[in-house]
Amino acid sequence: TKLRAASASMASCCCPIIASFVSFLLVFPVLFSSAAGNGSTFGEEQLGLRRMKARLARVREASVKTIQGLILVILQSPDGDVIDCVPSHLQPAFDHPRLRGQKPEEEPAARPGNDHAMEDDDEEEVLPQTWRSSGEWCPKGTIPVRRTTEGDLLRASSVRRFGMKPRSAAARRDSTSNGHEHAVGYVSGGQFYGAKASLNVWPAQVSSPAEFSLSQIWVISGSFGNDLNTIEAGWQVSPELYGDNSPRFFTYWTSDAYQETGCYNLHCAGFVQTNGRVVIGAAITPVSAYGGRQFDITLMIWKDPKKGNWWLQLGPSGALVGYWPSSLFTHLGARGRGGADMVQFGGEAVNTRPSGSHTPTQMGSGRFPGEGYGRAAYFRNVQVVDWDNNLIPAAGLRLLADHPGCYDIAGGQGGAWGSYFYYGGPGRNVRCP
């Protein structure tokens, strides 16, 4: 009761109110005009708005506590995030038709290789995030959800597709990228049941709200037509999605090649969060500095061989963030042999070719791989999970850059870093006009 009273007081004081859509309605014509260019009709945008309002209201009503900024109610965090603590069984995932009435699954008893359950004392070191500087935590039995605000919706090119990648987005498969440029390492030609790597985090500069820069792991299955299944996680800078240029921890999934299924983070029903101390979509801090200290995050995605769900593990100590239920997928959904055909590691940047030239949006640190440690972005200890739930080096890792003069990649093998590579670049330069 006290927590609910605190939330009510906070809402009347200074928290953004999700239900306040008056100014949003006033700018409908502008929003729908831009949406038309995105392939949506006026009616589809109206329907999308109604659904979004209903979903945001459900999250808001379910919240038992709200955390705003560095100090409860009084200050906002530098990234302006507001965190709602939502009972885990009422989280957005369970709005999905295939998940309704369910509760979060128990953590798998076995993990790939030598990975094991983390110790509670290490939990706060999983992923340093700005919101945690407040000293406030979500109560047991709840998960922290980054609140979607009116401003987030106003920045979107389409409300109906809010939180989704453009239909033209795709995992890298050839030299044509439709404005999405990649520098990646990948393995294919077998069945893979997960992937793991450590990647350093950078404040990549993104030149336009219509563009983004990310570094991630892709787990991929199916053809590169309309039945492509992907599971993705990493860090991303996206001014349109988040409203700033901070690198943020993110997840993504799709079961139909980014057409109508899947989304970033918890923006749609799907990913089930089990961790109460990590906010998906929140800013990561500190980050790596050019010529200075490097900060990386360790990610592992793997398939539970018993139930078929794909789990996300974060941090060297092994905290589980949550899972993508097998029922979301076709190719990745089957138990047993339902593995991935390909695993990719690396960077992606959007190039809208402003003024007819290549974008200066950075990938990674914005520096080419040749500059090496402390200057270029990297992936280290690149591994995959085999059929017997073992972590093994990513043998035969192929390195490929769509446009090496803009964003490049170079790798190596051996020592404490195992299989590794440096990647990235500045975008527009003398080699990339």
Side-chain angles (χ1 to χ4, degrees), residues 171 218-220 228-232 252-255 258 329 332:
W218 292 260
V219 175
I220 306 165
L228 185 72
N229 290 194
T230 76
I231 291 173
E232 309 170 22
Y252 200 92
W253 68 276
T254 181
S255 62
Y258 306 98
F329 304 101
L332 290 173

Side-chain angles (χ1 to χ4, degrees), residues 79-116:
D79 53 24
D81 285 354
V82 177
I83 310 301
D84 289 314
C85 302
V86 178
S88 58
H89 67 286
L90 297 178
Q91 64 179 288
F94 299 120
D95 287 336
H96 195 285
R98 297 178 182 174
L99 304 177
R100 282 179 187 149
Q102 296 184 23
K103 295 182 178 180
E105 297 273 2
E106 295 291 329
E107 295 183 357
R111 304 192 191 183
N114 295 321
D115 279 75
H116 53 80

Side-chain angles (χ1 to χ4, degrees), residues 13 31 268 355 373:
C13 174
L31 184 63
C268 67
S355 304
Y373 183 78

